[in-house]
Amino acid sequence: MKITDKICIVTGAASGIGREIALTYARAGAKVAIADINKAAAQATVDAIAQAGGTAMAVSMDVTDEAQVNAAVAEVVDAWGGVDVLVSNAGIQIVHPIEDFPFADWKKMLAIHLDGAFLTTRACLPHMQASGRGGSIIYMGSVHSKEASVLKSAYVTAKHGLIGLCKVVAKEGAAHGIRANVICPGFVRTPLVDKQIPEQAEALRISEDDVIRKVMLKETVDGEFTSVQDVAEIALLFAGFASNALTGQSLVVSHGWFMQ
Ligand code: NAD
């Protein structure tokens, strides 16, 4: 159940949840590739890990671009010799009522969340198979992998889709000891959520405080946001779990917003 010396790629690790997962993996002794479209911010995460005595590298990756994904994974393999853990985490949010949802925005959402998960998985799998060490693939789902909310048709569709992809990867990867699981966080205070608060206030014609209390945290058991550390702990568990006993699963970490 250890990830010491494991080679990990975390997409979207320049900010928010991905950044905290990268820091947590590095503290646990893993080598972490920070794969992000925002190169400057990715380098800042690398610097933070290096300052704490860890090992990290930044790779430039737009997860929707097949060539960039393949090149970035190859860069990590060239540098460190393989891939043991993939965290497919990069994501954005775009909210509109369905009747006003621009088709271009719909396609952008599905490309980042679903094409990104597929392309990174496809690029990493052969290296996990070749190493003989197995591997762990972790998808960043959401409570919206299980539940719906108004205005979020593309996000909810994409996040539900990740559970399907995960189950197939779990079945196809089993013979090689490659596990796949989904983390489903509730609302976490990151730039992705901070952007939504004023947008939802305007769309729903309520105050920003009411968006937080009456929309985002209404169904939690204690009115609290999930933290980046909470999510990173689950990412550590999935990354280090050493057998196929834990595969094809989706784990909700949401202060009880969604109970299975
Ligand atoms: P964030 O905005 O803080 O970070 C997202 C990161 O993804 C950024 O570094 C950004 O540069 C990167 N990114 C965006 N598009 C990219 C692309 N095409 N290629 C590569 N990198 C790209 O967001 P966050 O809140 O940390 O979200 C991370 C993941 O967690 C997302 O998949 C999101 O849907 C999911 N999630 C977030 C919450 C939440 O409440 N914050 C809840 C559940 C799930």
Side-chain angles (χ1 to χ4, degrees):
M1 297 259 233
K2 290 239 161 77
I3 68 160
T4 317
D5 295 327
K6 297 278 186 208
I7 300 158
C8 308
I9 298 179
V10 184
T11 72
S15 174
I17 291 171
R19 184 177 193 278
E20 187 64 28
I21 291 172
L23 292 168
T24 301
Y25 282 3
R27 268 196 304 273
K31 296 176 181 147
V32 191
I34 311 302
D36 205 285
I37 201 169
N38 184 338
K39 197 132 192 239
Q43 189 54 49
T45 305
V46 170
D47 294 344
I49 288 172
Q51 270 163 26
T55 305
M57 67 187 282
V59 287
S60 193
M61 183 195 285
D62 176 347
V63 296
T64 69
D65 184 311
E66 183 178 13
Q68 278 190 37
V69 169
N70 291 341
V73 171
E75 198 181 329
V76 175
V77 172
D78 282 350
W80 289 336
V83 185
D84 299 303
V85 176
L86 165 68
V87 183
S88 171
N89 164 80
I92 62 164
Q93 179 60 282
I94 302 176
V95 296
H96 297 288
I98 292 176
E99 63 273 26
D100 298 331
F101 218 111
F103 190 33
D105 283 350
W106 170 269
K107 286 194 276 197
K108 187 175 179 184
M109 286 292 287
L110 268 53
I112 293 176
H113 292 276
L114 290 180
D115 297 359
F118 163 71
L119 289 172
T120 51
T121 299
R122 196 186 60 176
C124 290
L125 272 176
H127 302 292
M128 293 180 177
Q129 290 167 353
S131 74
R133 295 192 298 266
S136 178
I137 299 183
I138 299 162
Y139 299 103
M140 196 51 64
S142 164
V143 164
H144 286 114
S145 299
K146 313 265 182 186
E147 273 280 2
S149 292
V150 296
L151 308 176
K152 297 190 174 174
S153 54
Y155 191 79
V156 169
T157 301
K159 291 299 191 191
H160 274 66
L162 288 175
I163 290 189
L165 175 63
C166 164
K167 289 177 179 176
V168 176
V169 174
K171 290 202 171 190
E172 293 190 4
H176 299 278
I178 299 165
R179 297 164 289 283
N181 293 286
V182 185
I183 305 175
C184 300
F187 282 100
V188 183
R189 210 66 203 264
T190 67
L192 180 140
V193 161
D194 285 339
K195 176 175 167 283
Q196 280 176 64
I197 294 169
E199 286 174 359
Q200 292 217 20
E202 194 184 336
L204 301 173
R205 295 168 204 269
I206 57 177
S207 71
E208 294 189 13
D209 191 49
D210 280 352
V211 170
I212 293 171
R213 286 189 307 109
K214 296 184 179 166
V215 179
M216 293 181 163
L217 304 180
K218 181 173 174 238
E219 302 293 339
T220 63
V221 293
D222 52 11
E224 286 193 25
F225 280 101
T226 299
S227 70
V228 289
Q229 290 84 3
D230 294 327
V231 182
E233 282 302 316
I234 306 300
L236 190 60
L237 169 76
F238 280 142
F241 202 88
S243 85
N244 285 343
L246 187 61
T247 195
Q249 303 305 305
S250 49
L251 183 57
V252 179
V253 51
S254 72
H255 282 257
W257 165 16
F258 180 83
M259 298 192 190
Q260 320 240 25

